[in-house]
Amino acid sequence: MSNRTPPAAELLTRPDVGVVVKTITPTQRGRVQYQATSWPACLYGVTTSITVEPDQPVKILGRRGLTLLIQPLALEKEGELPLP
């Protein structure tokens, strides 16, 4: 067993936009295309049970290690997500 602490979340000072390439749910990481590269990604600050499907745009809020922390843009526009 490892006693390593998981890396802390590093939030961007200015969120950016990426596009989902592999489905993301609250319990399942997926992948996001960002800056010409595919990155592992997970939902961040989402309190509803949602699924983000491929080709949907997402707001990239930061990262934890090599995993991007994202929120779906569609729900933000509908006012269903709190902004961090």
Side-chain angles (χ1 to χ4, degrees):
M1 286 192 153
S2 174
N3 289 332
R4 293 185 346 186
T5 306
E10 297 177 34
L11 298 180
L12 299 173
T13 55
R14 179 180 277 172
D16 211 343
V17 176
V19 177
V20 173
V21 293
K22 183 179 176 192
T23 302
I24 303 169
T25 70
T27 59
Q28 174 185 321
R29 291 188 332 171
R31 293 195 76 81
V32 168
Q33 187 75 23
Y34 174 62
Q35 293 184 344
T37 304
S38 173
W39 296 85
C42 67
L43 293 169
Y44 182 78
V46 175
T47 58
T48 59
S49 180
I50 59 170
T51 298
V52 188
E53 300 290 343
D55 298 322
Q56 288 185 319
V58 292
K59 179 185 276 190
I60 298 168
L61 302 171
R63 67 182 181 93
R64 181 176 288 126
L66 294 177
T67 302
L68 297 179
L69 307 173
I70 60 107
Q71 287 183 349
L73 284 177
L75 292 180
E76 179 182 310
K77 290 177 182 176
E78 295 170 11
E80 294 183 23
L81 288 176
L83 294 176

